[in-house]
Amino acid sequence: MNTDLNLSAALGRLSLRNPLLTVSGTCGYGDEYAPFLDLNRLGAFTTKSVTLNPRQGNPPRRVAETAAGMLNAIGLANVGLELFIAEKLPVLSALDVPALVNVAGHTIDEYVTTCRRLDPLEPVAALELNVSCPNVVDGLVFGTDPAALGRLVASVRAVVKQSLLIVKLSPNVTDITATARAAVDAGADCLSMINTFIGMAIDVEKAEPVLANCTGGLSGPAIKPLALHLIHRVYNAVAKPAGIPIIGMGGVSNWRDAVEFMLAGATAVGIGTAMFVDPTAPVKMLEGIEAYLRRHGLTDVNQLVGRLRSNAHHPKA
Amino acid sequence: MHVSAETQKGVFLTRVVTNDPVCRDHWRFVLEVRDFPLTEPGQFVQVLCREPNDDATPGDGAYIRRPFSIAGLSRDNRVTRIEIIHRLVGRGTHWLSHLNPGDSVSILGPLGHPFTLAEDRPTAYIVGGGCGLPPLIWLARALRASGKTVIAFCGARSADLLPLTRHRQAQVLTDQPTLAVTEFADCGVPVLISTDDGSLGFAGSAAQAFARYLHAHLEEDSSAVVYSCGPDAMMHATADLAEQYNIPCQVCLERMMACGMGTCQSCVVRIRDASDPKGWVYRLCCTDGPVFDSRVVIWEN
């Protein structure tokens, strides 16, 4: 069908059919979207966060729409490691698409135990460390402190032998290149960025927070320019020099957004909140990317990665 | 009815047929769509309340889809007409109220579990309030089509907020269901209207009107079933009443949700579960519901 175009991408040694993948927390464990989207059309499937023990999650209300986006405070609701392995992994095994399993925890031991158990299992192509979920009490510590992050990644690195190790960065930091560098130095194979920005909404009539958790993670088109900037910074300062691929995410809603993220330095692009609006978005976006490549006389989607040109030659006023 | 076997649920582009106010703050619109999958009363659709264009700026309208129950659905070969009645609440519903015939609207569906038409129970009581009334209109038609006797209790805060059409000739009584509402009279279902302020029909909630009716007409009716949709307090009272009379009751819940497909985990409802140490677990309104057996719901009102 696309014999003249190469759409395949590579995250280190993991090759993807195309550079578009789902984002943790917006796509369940795979079976939820099956009635709406042929998951084999994706480059990879990223699961919702898995924790060692099951988590009920936060009380409602868990979501609030904001201008061009939404806040969520789900609280890492998930079935827990063992039930995930027993019930959810078989669904992923049946797919012809790499499964990236997102792992969250409260302590280094929890991350290590969960990753050690998942690493050798057949459908697990990559483990993505969620070190930045803003809706659990101490999840942010790892994501915002470069030294703590380095210790966590090094400890997990020691037990992860088969899977690609991805670290998902929090944007809720002063200098994201510091946490990116800490993750890479500790052995991360790949960076995914960014997780949600912490935000809140207030019901003025009640003079109360809208979310039961008070704060939540902001996602959607509202954060796209912020995500793009952070990817651009990390690509140039850390990822490109180290030869580490970036999975870019944050408000990507259409093919144009995906191309922007790739030009800024992302090797692959995650589609998160936009999946809530249209679960077939990846298929439509892929068509848009193909048309863009043809229009620009490009033959390989990887030619887009970091292709951003300087506009310094423009005449100054 | 024609539903081709290959129709899969998902995103559908529809065309607006009509869009008109029903009563104060409530609108009714009808969408036309080709090859829409098999859908049953109680299921819902997620409506995109902005231009159905990938590149549209989401500043106009709302970014996330809005869930709406279906007030009526008819099919003519491959064309399905879907009727939605809604209250103006925020950005999304205001955008919808400005639609014109011929405009395009993107919907996602059908979603959720429908009402169960209890085959062994010849009598069905419908108890609904405000924005909970729309799915009960379609349910009433389906129940009548399957030969049931149906009596409806329809409530609103005041007469001008009742999103139903008054039948001109029929009288509204405070203690007796009559054919006073066109949407229900058309399928032979008498309605007892109630308003919180007493401006029309019985003064009180639909649950209170139903309680008085049950008390006057029977002690226990094992041949009946109750279907309810509306404010949680009204459904809670209806559920308690049904339990008291030993009548099974199905409630159709509404919760804030983002996706409607079971992935975002926003629309949690506490459901009784003896196997859990707490005695309850969170279930999702979108995919485990929105229709639940009232006995398993832990009410938060």
Side-chain angles (χ1 to χ4, degrees), chain B residues 240-262:
Chain B
D240 285 351
L241 196 65
E243 195 168 343
Q244 185 190 325
Y245 283 85
N246 198 26
I247 309 172
C249 176
Q250 296 172 36
V251 289
C252 185
L253 304 186
E254 180 180 53
R255 292 293 181 269
M256 287 285 175
M257 57 180 73
C259 72
M261 297 172 279

Side-chain angles (χ1 to χ4, degrees), chain A residues 231-250:
Chain A
I231 290 164
H232 177 61
R233 272 193 73 194
V234 167
Y235 175 69
N236 288 299
V238 182
K240 189 181 179 188
I244 294 287
I246 292 174
I247 304 171
M249 59 193 68

Side-chain angles (χ1 to χ4, degrees), chain B residues 260-284:
Chain B
M261 297 172 279
T263 65
C264 78
Q265 307 269 318
S266 306
C267 56
V268 286
V269 180
R270 286 203 295 155
I271 295 297
R272 289 180 212 288
D273 187 338
S275 70
D276 190 277
K278 296 184 304 299
W280 59 268
V281 293
Y282 279 134
R283 292 280 177 237
L284 301 179

Side-chain angles (χ1 to χ4, degrees), chain B residues 2-270:
Chain B
H2 173 97
V3 182
S4 48
E6 64 270 22
T7 52
Q8 200 194 1
K9 56 184 177 175
V11 174
F12 291 83
L13 196 62
T14 74
R15 202 179 56 82
V16 177
V17 181
T18 58
N19 185 28
D20 302 292
V22 192
C23 64
R24 180 157 71 90
D25 293 344
H26 290 70
W27 287 68
R28 177 199 285 121
F29 61 94
V30 175
L31 301 173
E32 209 167 65
V33 53
R34 284 177 76 81
D35 298 330
F36 198 70
L38 182 68
T39 310
E40 295 175 59
Q43 288 189 290
F44 65 99
V45 289
Q46 281 270 48
V47 179
L48 190 67
C49 303
R50 57 181 163 94
E51 291 285 321
N53 178 343
D54 289 348
D55 289 342
T57 310
D60 183 26
Y63 182 67
I64 302 292
R65 288 174 185 269
R66 298 290 190 266
F68 292 97
S69 60
I70 298 169
L73 187 147
S74 61
R75 293 183 189 272
D76 183 4
N77 285 315
R78 294 177 63 181
V79 177
T80 299
R81 282 191 172 203
I82 296 172
E83 181 185 340
I84 290 171
I85 300 172
H86 66 97
R87 183 164 65 91
L88 298 183
V89 177
R91 246 190 311 211
T93 47
H94 277 94
W95 187 86
L96 289 174
S97 72
H98 290 103
L99 286 171
N100 292 306
D103 287 349
S104 294
V105 174
S106 166
I107 64 171
L108 168 68
L111 303 168
H113 283 292
F115 288 109
T116 303
L117 274 55
E119 298 305 333
D120 55 334
R121 294 175 182 272
T123 304
Y125 296 115
I126 282 177
V127 186
C131 318
L133 289 166
L136 300 174
I137 297 171
W138 187 25
L139 173 70
R141 287 182 202 141
L143 288 166
R144 290 293 294 151
S146 70
K148 310 281 184 187
T149 299
V150 182
I151 300 172
F153 299 83
C154 299
R157 276 182 286 153
S158 57
D160 60 342
L161 287 170
L162 188 71
L164 299 169
T165 315
R166 291 269 304 284
H167 198 287
R168 280 197 202 133
Q169 275 86 41
Q171 238 188 320
V172 173
L173 300 176
T174 58
D175 57 350
Q176 213 40 253
T178 62
L179 296 173
V181 173
T182 305
E183 288 84 351
F184 287 96
D186 284 350
C187 59
V189 173
V191 175
L192 203 162
I193 295 174
S194 61
T195 50
D196 293 350
D197 66 356
S199 51
L200 185 69
F202 175 84
S205 75
Q208 287 166 330
F210 179 48
R212 204 175 65 160
Y213 181 88
L214 271 189
H215 187 69
H217 288 81
L218 73 178
E219 280 305 312
E220 183 173 318
D221 188 350
S222 58
S223 65
V225 57
V226 179
Y227 300 95
S228 185
C229 187
D232 274 14
M234 190 218 76
M235 283 191 284
H236 187 179
T238 302
D240 285 351
L241 196 65
E243 195 168 343
Q244 185 190 325
Y245 283 85
N246 198 26
I247 309 172
C249 176
Q250 296 172 36
V251 289
C252 185
L253 304 186
E254 180 180 53
R255 292 293 181 269
M256 287 285 175
M257 57 180 73
C259 72
M261 297 172 279
T263 65
C264 78
Q265 307 269 318
S266 306
C267 56
V268 286
V269 180
R270 286 203 295 155

Side-chain angles (χ1 to χ4, degrees), chain A residues 89-112:
Chain A
L89 268 189
V91 176
L92 299 173
S93 293
L95 297 177
D96 179 27
V97 65
L100 317 188
V101 179
N102 184 288
V103 173
H106 288 95
T107 62
I108 289 181
D109 278 353
E110 266 186 52
Y111 279 100
V112 167

Side-chain angles (χ1 to χ4, degrees), chain A residues 125-215:
Chain A
L127 293 167
E128 179 182 57
L129 301 187
N130 178 359
V131 295
S132 49
C133 184
N135 303 321
V136 291
V137 181
D138 43 1
L140 261 179
V141 175
F142 294 118
T144 55
D145 177 350
L149 182 63
R151 283 194 297 276
L152 171 68
V153 175
S155 303
V156 173
R157 175 77 278 174
V159 300
V160 172
K161 315 281 188 202
Q162 309 284 326
S163 314
L164 197 76
L165 181 60
I166 304 168
V167 175
K168 185 167 183 175
L169 299 178
S170 168
N172 301 298
V173 292
T174 308
D175 180 8
I176 198 164
T177 62
T179 43
R181 195 167 284 118
V184 169
D185 288 349
D189 298 312
C190 176
L191 298 173
S192 59
M193 56 187 295
I194 48 148
N195 207 319
T196 54
F197 286 82
I198 298 178
M200 70 182 286
I202 292 174
D203 180 329
V204 292
E205 298 306 323
K206 295 179 185 163
E208 285 176 5
V210 172
L211 298 175
N213 188 58
C214 185
T215 60

